[in-house]
Structures are given as structure tokens and as C-alpha cells.
């Protein structure tokens, strides 16, 4: 479901449109609710809203309830000989959460996961459900493809699938200069799927490529370090570096030398299902700060960032001191291509006229500790990304992004997104503190919405993660109605503003639990094997 679809004010019988009394109940209850909402990039918990509704084998489409996890979607599609055409590094997000935050894979043949949405149904703030597609209510569709959780609750998605099959992947350690030399030749076009892990201290890179194959399944060559031994060793070394940061260059050399070879040219490969072969192990709790820039600017950006990491402030032309800053490895480098695609999401992180490069500056949190380089590294990284004309990935931990910056980066697309958002949710029922500080204009230009949520406290969980607690705007900044944004309509009218939208029987979602003891998310791939020290999750980048 949509990223902010965490709250279910009431429920009705599926298949029946809510009565006037039911709508009134929704309106009255939402004014007094105080609740915990997931942050916009996490997606929401829709595990009970996960049915496959229809499979059209001829058109290769699957229609699902929006809370289904992509892993479950692919497993269900496998029974019909289908699979998702592209995946990111993990598949445990809900499909609606993935498209709402511009999730992507790494391929010159594919763009965002939302590219494959054929249609969707979204419940608006008045409790009615509308259908939109490229041919029906196109503006709503373009806003909902990367919704940021601010439009309503996505309840149903029709998704374009591909024929299920296998891929053969090959992973090779190469010097940085070899990767840069091949950048404009065949680096990104030799295979359907390509990604790179940049190792700045050793000035090498791991290049991973994959294409479809009919070869029999084959596991990669056994590496005793590639499983639990490597997983726990790296974690312990990262923890030591918390106290001795200058230890990190040696950690990079040792860990990735043991995993992918101390000499350039070391190669490992395997053959497996596409639905599992595209996935990677994310290892530990981490910060991920990812931006897209034009593909042609990649060599300059990576070269300058590498110089800065090597303490060369002048050569990097990044005006922040790197003195005493030591970072984690690797920097993930991925590509997406949406040139010529229509209709485009308003808040698309790719570029319409050139392939897009995604740079991800990952920082691990060993045993839950924040790395000491966090603030200055991301300050320098985001400065460089902005200079390169970059756009932040909505699902990641960016810092210096606000409406003024996004207005320059997105232009009229941001204005169009906000126009549609305000039409379908005029009282701000789906707006929170993240939206206010990131995408909305300042209060002087767009005052508080009647139902806009204000963050009041963040509460750390003993099991990992953070609860963000908020309350709605009528109860702050002067009381009910004070300084509240109005655009001439109430939420009960928002459905009527979407000309041509199809009214559907309302299906409000059941309340979702946020289990306090669920623990820190450790993502283990389906194909990981168990060893004496646990799951072997370090076997493939």
C-alpha cells in the first residue's frame, strides 16, 4: 500500500460504497486521532492485504492487492510462468511501497519498477476508490506512480510481468581505470543487467553482469569466507572502526579481497532464477543516501568523490574538509533508462533525455551504532550530487532537500504533482512532517492543512528502528482552523475533482499492527544457505 497507508480510520463491507453516515464517521474520527505513522520511505505494513486478484496469461499481467510483498508476488507469478521484469536489491517491500518511492533495478533495458504499472486503484481521503491509468485520469496516474504516500491509499495494482526464466551472472574485480575506460563503450550495454560496487580506498570496482540463459542452475564456487564467517568478520571490523576510523581502508582491502579476490580479474559466476538472481544481500542496519545523475557525468562524479575520500579536498573541488573522515565500502553504482517512456511520473527520479546513474553512499551501523563520518560524508556527497544536477532517491536517507531545491530539480512537474495532490486530498489527510519539510512550500506560501500531521516525538525501539509519533494540525499552531490551508473544497468533494475517474466500491483497510518486538530488519535472500553460525548472507555482493 502507499507509504503513508498505515492508518485505517474505519471499515466497511467490501463491495459496498460507504454511506453518508460512514463518511461522516471517517471525518469525525480522523480529527481526534493521535497515532504512530511509518516514515514515508518505509512503505507500510500490508501483509494482510496481499491477494493475487487476477492473472492474465495472454497479456502477461497480474492484478494484486497493493500490500503484497514483491517476493510473494513473484512466487505466485512463477506458477503461471511469469516474473517481474526488473528488481532492486531486495524484494521484501510491498509492491505499492516500492513504486511509491521510485524503486529501480540496474539495467539500460529497464527504468523504475513503476514503469510496469498498467493501472491502479487508489482510495482518496473521502473514502472512495478511483481507477487511473495512462488512458484514464492520466494526471492522477502520473502522480500516483511515485506518490510519496501523499495522495491516498493505493489498494490495487495491475502489473506488467515478463516470462519467467533464469539468468547467468558473472562478477569480476577490476581496476577503476578499466571501468572508467569502458564507461562509454560496453560497460552498461553488454548485458541486460549491470551494476558496479566502487571500492574507493583500493581504487578497484566489482562489476556484476547478468543476462537470460537456458543453462542449468549452477551455484558459485565455494568460498569459506563468503558466508557466515565473512558476515560476522566484516561486522566486527566495522565495529572496531567506530573507535579507530583510519582502520577502514585496511578493512576494505581485506574484506573485499577475501570475498572477490586480492588481484584484479578474479571472477565468480552462477546460474539461478531471475527472481532471486537479481537480489543482493544488504548485510546490516545502514544509512543509504542515493542520488541519480545523468549517466555521462558518472566518471567525473566518481573520480571527484574518490579524491575527496583520499583526503584531496582541492583535487575533488568539494568544499568540505575530508580531514579525519573515513567511510564504509562500497559505493553502489547502478543505472536506469527511461528515455522515451510515457507517461512519466511527476516525481520521477530518472531523466527524460538521458540514461540515469544512481550513486549510493552506504554507511553501515555496526551493532546499531551510527558511524562517526555520517554527517560530513553526506554533506560532501550531497553537495557533489547537486552540482551534478542530481535528484535524491525518495526511499533513502538524504539530508539537504527542501521545496526550493526540488522546484529547481523538477520544475513544473513538482507544481503538477502538488496540484493533483491538493485536489484529491484538500484537507491534507495524507500529509505528514516529512512532506512538509521536503516537498511542500513554506507555510507562508502554503499554510497548514486541516488534517496535516505534525511530528511531536521520535521514539527509539529497543529492538531497532524508530517510531515517529505525530498529531494532526487542527490541534496545534493556534487551534482548530487557525492558519489552515484551504483551496475551496473539502475532502468529501475531492473525488468530484478527478474528471473521468471511475468510482469503485470502497474497500477500507483493516487496522495494521506495528509489532514492537519484530526486531531489526535483516534481509536474507531466499537462496542463502544455513551454516553453523547462521545464514550465509555474504556469498554474493
Amino acid at each position: 500500500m502507499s507509504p503513508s497507508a498505515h492508518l485505517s480510520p474505519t471499515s466497511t463491507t467490501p463491495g459496498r460504497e460507504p454511506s453518508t453516515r460512514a463518511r461522516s464517521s471517517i471525518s469525525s474520527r480522523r480529527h481526534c486521532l493521535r497515532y504512530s505513522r511509518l516514515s514515508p520511505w518505509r512503505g507500510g505494513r500490508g501483509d494482510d492485504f496481499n491477494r493475487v486478484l487476477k492473472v492474465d496469461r495472454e497479456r502477461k499481467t497480474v492484478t494484486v492487492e497493493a500490500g503484497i510483498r514483491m517476493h510473494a508476488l513473484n512466487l505466485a507469478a512463477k506458477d503461471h510462468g511469469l516474473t517481474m521484469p526488473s528488481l532492486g536489491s531486495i524484494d521484501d517491500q510491498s509492491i505499492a511501497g516500492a513504486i511509491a518511492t521510485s524503486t529501480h533495478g540496474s539495467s539500460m533495458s529497464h527504468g523504475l519498477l513503476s514503469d510496469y504499472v498498467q493501472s491502479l486503484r487508489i482510495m482518496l481521503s473521502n473514502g472512495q476508490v478511483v481507477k487511473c491509468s495512462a488512458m484514464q485520469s492520466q494526471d492522477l496516474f502520473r502522480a500516483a506512480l511515485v506518490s510519496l504516500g501523499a495522495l491516498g491509499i493505493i489498494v490495487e495494482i495491475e502489473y506488467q510481468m515478463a516470462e519467467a526464466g533464469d539468468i547467468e551472472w558473472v562478477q569480476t574485480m577490476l581496476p577503476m581505470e578499466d571501468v572508467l575506460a569502458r564507461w562509454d563503450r560496453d560497460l552498461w550495454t553488454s548485458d541486460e543487467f549491470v551494476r558496479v560496487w566502487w571500492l574507493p580506498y583500493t581504487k578497484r570496482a566489482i562489476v556484476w553482469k547478468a543476462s537470460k540463459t537456458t543453462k542449468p542452475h549452477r551455484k558459485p564456487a565455494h568460498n569459506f569466507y563468503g558466508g557466515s564467517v565473512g558476515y560476522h568478520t566484516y561486522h566486527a571490523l566495522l565495529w572496531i572502526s567506530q573507535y579507530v576510523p583510519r582502520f577502514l581502508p585496511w578493512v576494505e582491502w581485506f574484506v573485499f579481497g577475501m570475498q572477490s579476490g586480492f588481484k584484479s580479474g578474479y571472477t565468480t559466476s552462477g546460474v539461478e532464477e531471475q527472481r532471486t538472481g537479481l537480489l543482493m544481500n544488504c548485510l546490516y542496519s545502514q544509512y543509504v543516501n542515493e542520488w541519480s545523475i545523468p549517466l555521462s557525468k558518472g566518471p567525473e562524479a566518481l573520480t571527484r568523490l574518490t579524491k575527496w575520500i583520499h583526503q584531496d579536498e582541492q583535487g575533488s573541488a568539494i568544499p568540505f574538509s575530508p580531514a579525519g573522515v573515513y567511510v564504509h565500502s562500497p559505493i553502489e553504482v547502478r543505472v536506469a533508462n527511461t528515455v522515451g517512456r510515457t507517461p512519466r511520473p511527476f516525481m520521477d527520479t530518472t531523466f527524460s533525455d538521458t540514461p540515469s546513474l544512481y550513486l549510493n553512499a552506504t554507511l553501515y551501523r555496526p551493532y546499531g551504532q551510527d558511524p562517526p563520518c555520517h554527517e560530513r560524508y553526506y554533506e560532501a556527497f550531497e553537495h557533489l550530487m547537486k552540482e551534478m544536477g542530481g535528484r535524491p532517491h525518495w526511499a533513502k536517507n538524504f539530508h539537504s532537500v527542501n521545496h526550493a531545491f526540488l522546484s529547481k530539480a523538477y520544475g513544473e512537474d513538482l507544481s503538477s504533482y502538488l496540484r493533483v495532490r491538493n485536489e484529491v486530498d484538500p484537507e491534507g489527510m495524507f500529509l505528514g512532517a516529512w512532506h512538509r519539510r521536503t516537498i511542500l512550500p513554506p507555510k507562508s506560501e502554503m499554510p497548514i492543512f486541516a488534517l496535516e500531521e505534525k511530528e511531536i516525538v521520535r521514539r527509539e525501539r529497543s529492538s531497532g528502528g524508530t517510531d515517529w509519533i505525530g498529531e494532526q494540525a487542527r490541534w496545534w499552531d493556534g487551534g482548530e482552523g487557525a492558519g489552515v490551508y484551504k483551496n475551496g473544497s473539502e475532502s468529501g468533494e475531492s473525488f468530484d475533482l478527478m474528471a473521468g475517474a471511475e468510482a469503485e466500491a470502497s474497500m477500507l483497510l483493516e487496522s495494521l499492527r506495528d509489532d514492537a518486538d519484530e526486531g531489526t530488519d535483516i534481509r536474507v535472500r531466499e537462496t542463502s544457505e544455513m551454516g553453523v553460525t547462521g545464514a550465509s548472507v555474504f556469498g554474493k555482493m
Side-chain angles (χ1 to χ4, degrees):
M1 56 201 70
S2 69
S4 61
H6 180 63
L7 175 67
S8 176
T10 186
S11 61
T12 60
T13 303
R16 296 179 59 188
E17 185 175 347
S19 63
T20 302
R21 180 177 179 181
R23 292 181 187 174
S24 176
S25 173
I26 293 172
S27 179
S28 64
R29 292 184 63 187
R30 69 191 179 209
H31 286 283
C32 62
L33 284 168
R34 183 173 176 178
Y35 56 90
S36 170
R37 173 181 289 171
L38 293 175
S39 56
W41 48 85
R42 284 206 48 195
R45 291 183 55 98
D47 298 285
D48 295 330
F49 199 67
N50 59 5
R51 292 181 302 166
V52 175
L53 302 175
K54 179 181 178 183
V55 177
D56 189 326
R57 188 64 183 83
E58 183 177 348
R59 294 177 57 236
K60 300 179 184 177
T61 61
V62 176
T63 303
V64 295
E65 292 177 331
I68 192 170
R69 304 289 174 132
M70 291 189 291
H71 178 79
L73 168 58
N74 260 337
L75 276 178
K78 180 182 176 180
D79 293 338
H80 301 274
L82 300 173
T83 194
M84 294 179 68
S86 181
L87 286 170
S89 296
I90 60 174
D91 63 354
D92 58 352
Q93 314 102 308
S94 68
I95 182 64
I99 68 169
T101 52
S102 71
T103 297
H104 60 93
S106 188
S107 173
M108 286 288 282
S109 303
H110 304 280
L112 304 180
L113 266 59
S114 58
D115 289 357
Y116 298 100
V117 175
Q118 299 301 296
S119 67
L120 54 81
R121 297 180 195 270
I122 181 169
M123 184 179 71
L124 304 180
S125 60
N126 64 355
Q128 296 198 55
V129 176
V130 299
K131 181 178 180 180
C132 57
S133 67
M135 304 300 294
Q136 181 175 342
S137 300
Q138 189 178 107
D139 273 5
L140 178 59
F141 187 61
R142 293 182 67 188
L145 285 177
V146 179
S147 72
L148 307 180
L151 303 178
I153 302 175
I154 296 174
V155 296
E156 184 180 299
I157 295 175
E158 180 188 12
Y159 203 80
Q160 183 69 56
M161 308 296 279
E163 292 288 341
D166 301 324
I167 58 170
E168 179 177 28
W169 58 264
V170 180
Q171 181 173 292
T172 307
M173 179 74 80
L174 294 172
M176 282 184 181
E177 54 266 28
D178 286 10
V179 176
L180 294 175
R182 295 172 53 187
W183 193 276
D184 294 324
R185 300 204 319 256
D186 64 344
L187 176 64
W188 301 106
T189 57
S190 61
D191 291 75
E192 182 177 356
F193 304 98
V194 181
R195 67 175 74 195
V196 174
W197 290 277
W198 197 258
L199 305 174
Y201 289 116
T202 58
K203 296 187 177 181
R204 300 191 298 171
I206 300 169
V207 178
W208 185 92
K209 299 183 176 185
S211 288
K212 291 182 175 62
T213 185
T214 57
K215 296 179 181 179
H217 286 196
R218 182 183 75 251
K219 293 182 179 180
H222 176 71
N223 178 349
F224 84 95
Y225 181 83
S228 296
V229 173
Y231 175 85
H232 293 293
T233 298
Y234 192 24
H235 208 177
L237 293 175
L238 288 170
W239 179 78
I240 293 172
S241 72
Q242 292 288 99
Y243 306 97
V244 190
R246 63 178 64 249
F247 187 49
L248 280 170
W250 181 87
V251 172
E252 177 185 292
W253 171 82
F254 174 76
V255 167
F256 294 97
M258 291 292 292
Q259 170 66 21
S260 300
F262 289 97
K263 293 183 178 180
S264 297
Y266 179 88
T267 297
T268 185
S269 64
V271 177
E272 58 184 297
E273 290 181 70
Q274 177 174 313
R275 70 178 182 88
T276 61
L278 294 178
L279 305 178
M280 304 291 156
N281 293 315
C282 295
L283 299 180
Y284 325 110
S285 174
Q286 59 195 246
Y287 289 109
V288 280
N289 195 343
E290 183 174 60
W291 289 60
S292 62
I293 61 174
L295 179 62
S296 61
K297 296 184 178 181
E300 179 189 350
L302 285 166
T303 299
R304 290 175 60 186
L305 185 59
T306 300
K307 287 182 178 181
W308 189 86
I309 290 171
H310 280 267
Q311 313 290 302
D312 183 3
E313 179 181 352
Q314 183 175 358
S316 70
I318 300 175
F320 297 92
S321 173
V325 177
Y326 295 89
V327 308
H328 296 167
S329 302
I331 298 167
E332 188 178 42
V333 186
R334 295 187 289 170
V335 68
N337 186 10
T338 61
V339 175
R341 185 198 66 199
T342 57
R344 303 183 66 85
F346 289 127
M347 302 310 292
D348 194 344
T349 55
T350 63
F351 300 91
S352 61
D353 57 350
T354 180
S356 305
L357 186 75
Y358 287 87
L359 299 182
N360 184 357
T362 299
L363 287 174
Y364 295 115
R365 302 180 63 250
Y367 305 109
Q369 296 181 356
D370 290 352
C373 65
H374 178 217
E375 296 294 336
R376 204 178 336 159
Y377 181 33
Y378 280 178
E379 191 175 40
F381 178 70
E382 292 190 10
H383 173 87
L384 177 62
M385 292 298 96
K386 289 180 177 180
E387 192 174 302
M388 297 283 104
R391 297 177 174 183
H393 190 305
W394 297 115
K396 305 303 169 68
N397 303 105
F398 53 81
H399 290 182
S400 56
V401 172
N402 56 25
H403 177 80
F405 166 75
L406 293 175
S407 294
K408 296 178 181 178
Y410 281 90
E412 287 302 315
D413 280 346
L414 176 61
S415 299
S416 296
Y417 170 83
L418 292 176
R419 172 182 56 79
V420 173
R421 202 230 68 79
N422 293 345
E423 287 178 353
V424 299
D425 180 25
E427 292 179 293
M429 183 177 184
F430 294 100
L431 289 177
W434 182 90
H435 301 102
R436 172 58 66 180
R437 67 174 176 266
T438 305
I439 64 172
L440 295 183
K443 294 176 186 177
S444 58
E445 298 178 27
M446 185 175 287
I448 302 161
F449 289 75
L451 299 180
E452 182 181 334
E453 181 188 59
K454 177 185 179 182
E455 178 188 338
I456 57 175
V457 68
R458 299 185 193 184
R459 182 177 60 212
E460 298 297 326
R461 290 185 178 186
S462 59
S463 56
T466 304
D467 286 320
W468 294 31
I469 313 300
E471 63 183 4
Q472 290 169 320
R474 285 183 186 260
W475 301 99
W476 56 283
D477 281 10
E480 184 169 350
V484 170
Y485 175 82
K486 301 291 290 182
N487 68 355
S489 64
E490 298 287 343
S491 61
E493 301 168 1
S494 62
F495 174 75
D496 301 322
L497 295 171
M498 299 310 303
E502 174 189 356
E504 299 291 339
S506 181
M507 298 185 299
L508 299 181
L509 311 180
E510 295 182 2
S511 296
L512 301 172
R513 297 188 306 274
D514 188 13
D515 300 326
D517 58 350
E518 65 182 9
T520 302
D521 186 17
I522 300 176
R523 303 181 179 113
V524 179
R525 294 174 62 243
E526 177 187 329
T527 54
S528 297
E529 297 182 1
M530 296 300 296
V532 294
T533 55
S536 298
V537 299
F538 202 56
K540 182 175 74 170
M541 286 295 302

